[in-house]
Amino acid sequence: MSRNILLLPGDGIGPEIVAEAERVLARVNDRFSLGLNFDQALVGGAALDACDTPLPEDTLAKARQADAILLGAVGGPKWDALPMAKRPEKGLLGLRSSLELFANLRPAILYPQLASASSLKPDVVSGLDILIVRELTGGIYFGQPRGVRHLENGERQGYNTYAYTESEIRRIGRVAFEAARQRNGKLCSVDKANVLEVTVLWREVMEDLTREYPDVALSHMYVDNAAMQLVRAPKQFDVIVTGNMFGDILSDEAAMLTGSIGMLPSASLNSQKQGMYEPCHGSAPDIAGQGIANPLATILSAAMMLRYSLGEEEAANAIEAAVSQVLDQGLRTADILSEGTRKVSTREMGEAVLAAL
Ligand code: IPM
Ligand code: MG
């Protein structure tokens, strides 16, 4: 069986970290005879520079054909002044919505080896294992109408629309309930139902789903409280389900609990389990081109890809074990460096994972 993997390195540190993940994938491809074929395309700022659009037709066509996509990161100061429709981020958002990748899974797992890299006390984060399920193709990111308009008094007003249909809420809810069922059976739905009608409906639909999942304990939390609880006592959470924007914010926060956002992978899936996999972090323009970025989030995203879109559990486990092994060896990129460990470059980290494989 042959499967097509599309690599979208993107901008900033994207090309450096995707290169390492590609080498890791090539290695497991040989070792486990996975039949993976690799192709590459442009997205984000790189695509803007070459084709004047952040999501060229060719890239979208290849993405539709692919069994799975591995993306680095998009964006950077070079393109910050462009109008909204021409921003690199539109490439990423366009891929998410064109492929209907509505279910974004962002695990935040603390590797025991990195407990001291977290800014929180070790006892608060040790053993941390939470999964944020973020709705990715709706909510305020995509709601219409949106824009900047001129008011009669001559002032300009910026506006966006926060809207969710019942079916959008139900399908992300089901993904979260299923995930909770596979884990510890606890699901916390995060909303702002004390202020926003859209999340009153969100809460109602989540509550309704408990009839299908009587074995899962559902709770609700306002987003401001959730942000606080995540740093106060993060281990109270198992699975969190929330909308697009709250999920964007809370997943960065959860990532940092684990020591570095440079460690966290993510999966964005549609209803056919086709998926795009990317590190949770951004393009880090400040360190791009220096060869010091942490490639592990991207390498772990490749592992998620093998597991969720390709059904290659064994190969996924091998990659995850290899990552754990290099951490045991005390190898650290700058973002996770702590006393008694050895600083390595992006390439050296990739080499170490390959060696462990
Ligand atoms: C993320 C990123 C994106 C988002 C940006 C780059 C558009 O922050 O994947 O979390 O807001 O979804
Ligand atoms: Mg984000």
Side-chain angles (χ1 to χ4, degrees), residues 89 92 96 106 134 141 248:
E89 289 81 358
L92 177 58
R96 289 174 180 171
R106 298 192 161 183
R134 168 189 176 196
Y141 270 50
D248 178 44

Side-chain angles (χ1 to χ4, degrees), residues 71 73-75 88-90 92-93 96 104 106 134-136 141-142 244-245 247-249 251-252 261 266 268 278-283:
L71 182 136
V74 296
E89 289 81 358
K90 279 286 177 206
L92 177 58
L93 296 171
R96 289 174 180 171
N104 185 213
R106 298 192 161 183
R134 168 189 176 196
E135 200 291 326
L136 203 59
Y141 270 50
F142 292 94
N244 207 339
M245 184 164 66
D248 178 44
I249 299 166
S251 61
D252 265 30
I261 197 168
S266 79
S268 307
E278 38 172 325
C280 282
H281 60 71
S283 59

Side-chain angles (χ1 to χ4, degrees), residues 17 86 119-120 156 195 203 224 226 232 279 284 314 341 343:
I17 55 183
K86 283 225 158 157
S119 50
L120 296 189
R156 285 178 308 157
V195 178
R203 194 176 271 225
D224 49 348
R232 192 189 73 87
E314 203 188 346
T341 61
K343 187 161 157 186

Side-chain angles (χ1 to χ4, degrees), residues 8-303:
L8 300 174
D11 309 320
I13 59 172
E16 301 162 49
I17 55 183
V18 168
E20 297 314 314
E22 183 183 5
R23 295 198 307 147
V24 168
L25 278 171
R27 175 66 57 88
V28 292
N29 193 24
D30 288 345
R31 189 172 135 195
F32 296 93
S33 307
L34 304 178
L36 307 182
N37 299 315
F38 299 97
D39 196 0
Q40 275 212 23
L42 297 171
V43 72
L48 273 164
D49 287 351
C51 336
D52 202 36
T53 163
L55 182 54
E57 273 305 318
D58 167 68
T59 300
L60 190 55
K62 283 180 173 172
R64 289 191 199 280
Q65 291 288 310
D67 293 286
I69 303 163
L70 185 70
L71 182 136
V74 296
K78 181 173 176 197
W79 306 282
D80 272 352
L82 292 172
M84 198 55 110
K86 283 225 158 157
R87 291 187 58 118
E89 289 81 358
K90 279 286 177 206
L92 177 58
L93 296 171
L95 277 169
R96 289 174 180 171
S97 70
S98 303
L99 303 178
E100 269 204 85
L101 304 169
F102 69 93
N104 185 213
L105 310 180
R106 298 192 161 183
I109 295 168
L110 184 89
Y111 283 82
Q113 301 95 323
L114 297 183
S116 60
S118 174
S119 50
L120 296 189
K121 296 193 192 85
D123 62 301
V124 176
V125 290
S126 71
L128 184 80
D129 179 355
I130 55 190
L131 175 66
I132 297 189
V133 178
R134 168 189 176 196
E135 200 291 326
L136 203 59
T137 52
I140 199 164
Y141 270 50
F142 292 94
Q144 295 288 348
R146 61 191 295 160
V148 178
R149 60 190 159 206
H150 289 270
L151 299 178
E152 274 172 14
N153 68 5
E155 241 202 324
R156 285 178 308 157
Q157 181 188 50
Y159 59 100
N160 288 86
T161 302
Y162 188 2
Y164 270 121
T165 61
E166 282 185 86
S167 56
E168 284 176 311
I169 303 169
R170 196 165 295 114
R171 70 177 180 177
I172 191 68
R174 288 210 173 97
V175 170
F177 273 97
E178 296 285 346
R181 186 172 259 180
Q182 310 275 318
R183 293 169 47 105
N184 294 321
K186 271 173 58 185
L187 176 62
C188 179
S189 170
V190 171
D191 62 38
K192 190 72 186 174
N194 50 346
V195 178
L196 304 173
E197 285 81 356
V198 42
T199 68
V200 173
L201 181 67
W202 176 281
R203 194 176 271 225
E204 237 177 79
V205 174
M206 289 295 162
E207 204 50 57
D208 211 41
L209 282 171
T210 57
R211 283 184 293 148
E212 282 173 46
Y213 301 91
D215 49 322
V216 173
L218 175 70
S219 61
H220 304 275
M221 199 179 272
Y222 297 139
V223 63
D224 49 348
N225 186 24
M228 179 187 72
Q229 296 297 337
L230 268 175
V231 286
R232 192 189 73 87
K235 282 187 270 182
Q236 71 186 282
F237 297 107
D238 178 16
V239 180
I240 291 175
V241 63
T242 190
N244 207 339
M245 184 164 66
F246 296 162
D248 178 44
I249 299 166
L250 294 181
S251 61
D252 265 30
E253 189 188 4
M256 208 53 220
L257 301 174
T258 69
S260 168
I261 197 168
M263 292 298 299
L264 292 200
S266 79
S268 307
L269 305 173
N270 63 21
S271 44
Q272 293 91 51
K273 296 276 155 140
Q274 188 198 18
M276 181 160 76
Y277 297 80
E278 38 172 325
C280 282
H281 60 71
S283 59
D286 54 322
I287 59 163
Q290 298 176 32
I292 59 171
N294 187 345
L296 293 180
T298 316
I299 290 171
L300 291 167
S301 297

